Amino acid sequence: MPMNLNLKRTPLSDTIFFLTQPIIIMGIIHLFHNGNTMIKTCIAGATGYTGAELVKLISGHPNAEITAVTSRSYAGQKLTDIFPALGGMVDITCEPMDMESLKGRIDCVFLALPHKVSMSYAPFFIENNIKVIDLSADFRFKDPKAYEAAYQPHSAPDLLKNAVYGLSEIYGDAIKKADLVGNPGCYPTSLLLPLIPLIKEGMVSTRGIVSDSKSGVSGAGRALSLSSHFCEVNESFKPYKVGNHRHVPEMEEILSFHAKEPVKITFVPHLIPLTRGMVSTIYAEVTAPTTHDAVMNTLKQYYGSDAFVRLLPQGKFPDSAHVRGTNFCDIGVHVDNDSQRIILVSAIDNILKGAAGQAVQNMNLMFGMEQRLGLELIPGAI
Ligand SMILES: NC(=O)C1=CN([C@@H]2O[C@H](COP(=O)(O)OP(=O)(O)OC[C@H]3O[C@@H](n4cnc5c(N)ncnc54)[C@H](OP(=O)(O)O)[C@@H]3O)[C@@H](O)[C@H]2O)C=CC1
Ligand SMILES: CC(=O)N[C@@H](CCC(=O)OP(=O)(O)O)C(=O)O
């Protein structure tokens, strides 16, 4: 027998229905987008600096979880034995990298591995519908010859065509559709974010760009080496790889995609006695006299309120300490029409916006989530 609920429609009930319906629909959409589905991730190379940072970020992410962490040297050991700082955040044991055993268990893999190693794993994951975010340089280039000139022969060059360069604020739309993202190098992130809008809008010349960049020592990774030995870097400040750094072809390829002619840059990296942090001071020639406001307005058009780019007011310049432990890139600008140059200064945390933070931002985009998820409050740095 049908139930008679005796619900009478009144003008008030109609108004309530009218007002609450969109809220209910929005709630359902929100649930589908950000709701209960947890993305299952594997962090390959979790015993390195960027891998450990990924562990922290994913362990605090509302919509992603760590299903596996891999290591060659520490397989079978608890991650908290290697990084006691992760105690209370994760309880997981390192596995050797056995790709077959990861099949069906994960939706996404972060390859926080050295160059050359990532390219040997990525094809398997792509073939098995597992999204790949590679932190090495192996999938950053479109032109395999440019990669091979700077690194080594490529074993999966066919994947380069569909790989998307993971500079989140610039390539967000393509990243949303990508299965394979080549996360940018830390120096390239610090140069490309301030430069791309100005190159694209023709405000600076494609010739004569100079970047004087400084990096903390964690940029060299956790593996032992003489050049990152405490006594070699403490109380020391020096340029290195002048004229032959492997990030130059990466930056020139990306900048040239946004210009009418190939872009050439002069780039001098320096090592500074900081654990983490990176500052780039970039000098670019103006194509026509301009103002601070005009440059800032151009940058604002590219970096909306959801971006992790903070544009500083006139007269203020970034400081590595202000971005430490965050996913922000701070940018300050000075226009010097006497010398016809724009000076751009950017600062990032090399392990976060320069690597693991941007990788999580890319995961968010690839899985249709809000790009800031899990990145607003970042647990303390190593
Ligand atoms: N540090 C930084 O600021 C940035 C780093 N990157 C890039 O991110 C990637 C990771 O960097 P980072 O975390 O600093 O490096 P680390 O040297 O700190 O860590 C590398 C990780 O890879 C594992 N590994 C090393 N060799 C191999 C191998 N042959 N096969 C499998 N695993 C291996 C290591 O540990 P185990 O021996 O336990 O397996 C470790 O877990 C690199 O490609 C780097 O260029 C990008 C931007 C910034
Ligand atoms: C201090 C230091 O050694 N830094 C590294 C760059 C680290 C980085 O971002 O780059 P990749 O991801 O391309 O390795 C270097 O100069 O090679």
Side-chain angles (χ1 to χ4, degrees):
M1 210 168 94
M3 251 200 313
N4 183 2
L5 288 175
N6 203 15
L7 291 175
K8 275 205 193 117
R9 285 183 59 187
T10 64
L12 180 68
S13 72
D14 276 358
T15 313
I16 292 170
F17 178 74
F18 214 69
L19 289 176
T20 52
Q21 202 183 27
I23 298 170
I24 293 165
I25 292 170
M26 294 281 284
I28 292 168
I29 292 172
H30 181 79
L31 220 95
F32 269 104
H33 269 275
N34 299 322
N36 294 326
T37 34
M38 292 296 264
I39 297 152
K40 294 183 171 49
T41 68
C42 167
I43 298 159
T47 60
Y49 284 151
T50 62
E53 204 71 21
L54 281 163
V55 170
K56 286 187 196 169
L57 293 174
I58 299 295
S59 68
H61 195 288
N63 294 110
E65 63 193 15
I66 304 168
T67 301
V69 293
T70 78
S71 160
R72 250 178 349 166
S73 321
Y74 301 93
Q77 289 192 39
K78 274 184 172 272
L79 199 56
T80 46
D81 289 343
I82 303 153
F83 293 116
L86 297 177
M89 284 186 225
V90 288
D91 181 15
I92 195 159
T93 299
C94 297
E95 310 177 10
M97 177 61 123
D98 173 0
M99 293 188 286
E100 278 294 339
S101 86
L102 290 167
K103 228 163 90 176
R105 285 169 66 202
I106 57 168
D107 308 304
C108 176
V109 62
F110 293 96
L111 300 176
L113 301 170
H115 319 302
K116 202 179 198 166
V117 178
S118 287
M119 66 167 107
S120 63
Y121 294 127
F124 177 90
F125 291 115
I126 295 295
E127 280 158 25
N128 287 285
N129 296 321
I130 294 164
K131 290 186 193 280
V132 176
I133 301 166
D134 177 30
L135 281 80
S136 86
D138 288 356
F139 297 99
R140 294 177 190 161
F141 286 77
K142 278 281 163 246
D143 177 4
K145 288 200 187 75
Y147 173 86
E148 292 185 347
Y151 292 86
Q152 60 260 318
H154 207 296
S155 61
D158 290 349
L159 288 184
L160 294 177
K161 282 193 290 293
N162 293 329
V164 176
Y165 191 68
L167 192 62
S168 322
E169 277 76 12
I170 298 293
Y171 295 108
D173 289 342
I175 293 167
K176 283 179 189 165
K177 296 181 216 137
D179 293 323
L180 170 58
V181 163
N183 227 52
C186 46
Y187 285 121
T189 295
S190 76
L191 263 86
L192 295 173
L193 286 172
L195 273 175
I196 286 174
L198 306 186
I199 284 278
K200 200 162 177 174
E201 301 305 322
M203 293 178 84
V204 297
S205 166
T206 54
R207 289 287 178 276
I209 296 170
V210 175
S211 183
D212 181 26
S213 299
K214 287 106 187 159
S215 172
V217 186
S218 60
R222 191 163 183 254
L224 298 178
S225 81
L226 182 60
S227 54
S228 55
H229 189 295
F230 181 79
C231 298
E232 302 293 323
V233 296
N234 186 37
E235 298 179 56
S236 153
F237 171 29
K238 55 188 168 241
Y240 66 102
K241 294 189 183 157
V242 179
N244 67 355
H245 196 281
R246 60 196 169 79
H247 283 168
V248 172
E250 178 182 333
M251 296 187 276
E252 288 183 343
E253 183 179 87
I254 297 294
L255 286 172
S256 300
F257 290 145
H258 296 277
K260 294 197 176 76
E261 57 185 358
V263 177
K264 291 284 165 202
I265 62 170
T266 300
F267 169 68
V268 182
H270 298 73
L271 203 57
I272 44 172
L274 279 185
T275 298
R276 56 203 287 162
M278 169 168 285
V279 174
S280 287
T281 305
I282 307 157
Y283 306 84
E285 288 171 16
V286 295
T287 48
T290 187
T291 61
H292 182 271
D293 282 357
V295 174
M296 276 295 166
N297 286 338
T298 302
L299 293 174
K300 274 183 200 150
Q301 282 165 29
Y302 284 73
Y303 304 125
S305 55
D306 64 336
F308 277 102
V309 174
R310 296 190 297 202
L311 301 173
L312 305 189
Q314 190 159 14
K316 300 271 186 216
F317 292 93
D319 178 330
S320 65
H322 301 167
V323 292
R324 188 184 159 97
T326 81
N327 197 46
F328 287 114
C329 173
D330 282 0
I331 300 176
V333 173
H334 175 72
V335 175
D336 183 359
N337 276 316
D338 283 347
S339 64
Q340 300 187 11
R341 288 201 176 89
I342 297 176
I343 301 164
L344 301 156
V345 185
S346 69
I348 58 171
D349 182 320
N350 55 296
I351 307 185
L352 284 162
K353 185 61 177 166
Q358 186 148 246
V360 170
Q361 196 179 347
N362 289 331
M363 176 195 76
N364 290 340
L365 291 166
M366 290 164 93
F367 285 88
M369 296 183 290
E370 211 280 299
Q371 64 175 329
R372 299 179 81 92
L373 271 190
L375 290 166
E376 308 242 38
L377 286 172
I378 294 177
I382 290 175

